[in-house]
Amino acid sequence: MVFSAFAAMIAPIAVALTVGLLGWTYRALKPPPPNICGSPDGPPVTSPRIKLSDGRHLAYREAGVPREEAKYKIVVIHGFGSSKDLNLPASEELVEELRIYFLFFDRSGYGDSDPNPSRSVKSEAYDVQELADKLQIGSKFYVIGISMGAYPNSCFLILLNGKSYFGNGFSHFYRLAGASLVAPFVNYWWPCLPANLSNDAFSRLLAQDQWSFRVAHYTPWLFYWWMSQKWFPSLSILAGNMAIFSQSDLEILKKWSEAPSVGQEKIQQQGVYESLHRDIMVSYGKWEFDPMDLINPFPNNEGSVYIWQGYEGRIIPFQVNRYLSEKLPWIHYHEVPDAGHLLIFESKNSEAVLRELVQR
C-alpha cells in the first residue's frame, strides 16, 4: 500500500522531469529562426540584390572600372566571417591599367543575402553562376575564392568538368576564364589525404578548433549547441584567441582595427547560425566529391588555376595545400614565405594575385 502511494506520487514528478529535460534539450539543440533582411522584424535591405531561381535574394557590390568598359571581370568570394564589403588593397592604378571590374557578393546568410537552409558546396557554386547570369557580366569571368570562400571555387571546377555528381546543368560553367584559391580552406576528412598528412595538419590546430570541426563533421545537429555552450571552449576565432594568427596577420588586423571597413556590423545581422555556423558545417561536412576528382579545366591553356598559400599561416596549414598542388600539377602553386592566412590583404600580394590571374 505504501509503495503504491509512493509510486503514485513519484510518477508525475518523473514525467514532469522527463518532459522538462526533453524541452531543455530541444531548445538547446534548435537554433533560433533567422532574422531575415526585409522581413517585418528583420534588418532593412541596404544593398542591391538579385532574386535567385529558388526565391532567395543575393546581395552584391560592384567595384573597379565600369562593367561595360572592363577587360577582365572578377567575382570575389569572401571567406568566413566576412562579406561583400571586404577591400582588396590593390592600387587604383593597377585596376585601371588592367581594366578590372570586381563583383563582390554576400554568401548565403551573410550580410544582406537570404539564408539558405539547404546550403551546400554545390549551392554556393550555383549562386555564383546565377549572379553572373543575372548581372550579365559577360561571356567569360574569373573567380577569386578567399579562405572558406574557396570551397565554392572547387565545386565550380568540378562543374566545369561536367562531372556526374550533381546531375545535369553544367552548360554555363564553361564561362570560367580562370580561378585563384587564396589561403584555401581544407577539409581534413577528404578521402584523398593520406592519414599521416591529415592527422599531422589537424594536430597543428588548437584543441578547441579540433573539437569544433569534429562536431561539425560527425554530429552537425549538435553544432549549434556546441557553439552556444559555456562548459568547453569552442571555436578560437570567435573567442578572440589571437594565437591562430601569424605575425603578419596580426599586423593586418591592427590596421583594420584602426580603420574598420564599412559594413562590418551587418555580417551576422541575420543570425550567427545562418552565417558562421552553417558555413563551418558545410565546409567540414561530407562532400559530394573529392579534390582529386578535379581534372584540368583548361587543357589547352585557355585559362589557369592558382593556389596562393601563406607559409606562416596557422589557420590553414600549408602542408595540405602543398600536397594537393603536387598531386594536381596543373594547379599553379605559390607559397608566400613571409605571409600568413590574410596574405591577400597585403597590397603586394593582392596585386600579384590579380596580375597573374588575368595576365598569364
Side-chain angles (χ1 to χ4, degrees), residues 35-38 42-50 56-60 78 82-85 105-115 263 265-270 275:
N35 198 23
I36 297 177
C37 285
V45 177
T46 58
S47 306
R49 307 198 301 180
I50 62 159
R56 289 182 295 117
H57 294 88
L58 210 63
Y60 65 91
H78 69 79
S82 186
S83 74
K84 68 181 184 309
D85 295 311
F105 71 101
D106 288 331
R107 294 194 287 124
S108 300
Y110 282 100
D112 286 343
S113 288
D114 290 341
E265 73 285 351
K266 298 195 301 180
I267 291 175
Q268 303 175 36
Q269 66 180 350
Q270 298 185 86
S275 52

Side-chain angles (χ1 to χ4, degrees), residues 213-282:
F213 299 152
R214 285 189 187 103
V215 173
H217 181 76
Y218 293 110
T219 55
W221 52 274
L222 270 179
F223 194 69
Y224 173 72
W225 169 82
W226 174 259
M227 296 297 292
S228 304
Q229 54 80 32
K230 306 299 182 186
W231 300 326
F232 308 101
S234 55
L235 202 63
S236 61
I237 195 169
L238 298 185
N241 190 332
M242 307 306 283
I244 62 173
F245 295 107
S246 69
Q247 184 57 44
S248 59
D249 288 338
L250 292 173
E251 292 170 4
I252 293 170
L253 292 172
K254 185 175 183 293
K255 292 178 183 178
W256 287 354
S257 68
E258 294 168 352
S261 61
V262 175
Q264 291 298 301
E265 73 285 351
K266 298 195 301 180
I267 291 175
Q268 303 175 36
Q269 66 180 350
Q270 298 185 86
V272 66
Y273 181 80
E274 292 297 340
S275 52
L276 307 185
H277 294 185
R278 203 179 282 280
D279 213 2
I280 294 172
M281 289 189 295
V282 170

Side-chain angles (χ1 to χ4, degrees), residues 267-336:
I267 291 175
Q268 303 175 36
Q269 66 180 350
Q270 298 185 86
V272 66
Y273 181 80
E274 292 297 340
S275 52
L276 307 185
H277 294 185
R278 203 179 282 280
D279 213 2
I280 294 172
M281 289 189 295
V282 170
S283 301
Y284 289 100
K286 294 178 174 61
W287 284 35
E288 297 175 78
F289 65 93
D290 187 279
M292 287 304 158
D293 294 323
L294 294 172
I295 300 172
N296 185 0
F298 306 113
N300 300 315
N301 295 319
E302 65 272 32
S304 296
V305 179
Y306 305 89
I307 287 180
W308 292 79
Q309 172 71 43
Y311 179 77
E312 296 180 354
R314 300 176 186 174
I315 295 176
I316 304 295
F318 71 86
Q319 290 88 345
V320 177
N321 281 322
R322 180 190 286 180
Y323 171 83
L324 292 174
S325 66
E326 290 172 351
K327 293 298 182 181
L328 301 171
W330 48 268
I331 293 180
H332 303 275
Y333 180 68
H334 295 284
E335 195 168 278
V336 186

Side-chain angles (χ1 to χ4, degrees), residues 63-64 74 86-96 98 100 102 104 144 343-355:
I74 301 178
L86 69 88
N87 290 309
L88 296 181
S91 67
E92 291 185 17
E93 291 77 12
L94 178 71
V95 174
E96 288 288 340
L98 298 179
I100 297 176
F102 293 104
F104 301 86
I144 295 177
L343 69 94
I344 198 170
F345 298 106
E346 287 189 74
S347 180
K348 63 177 181 178
N349 296 329
S350 182
E351 293 187 356
V353 169
L354 293 174
R355 193 179 287 278

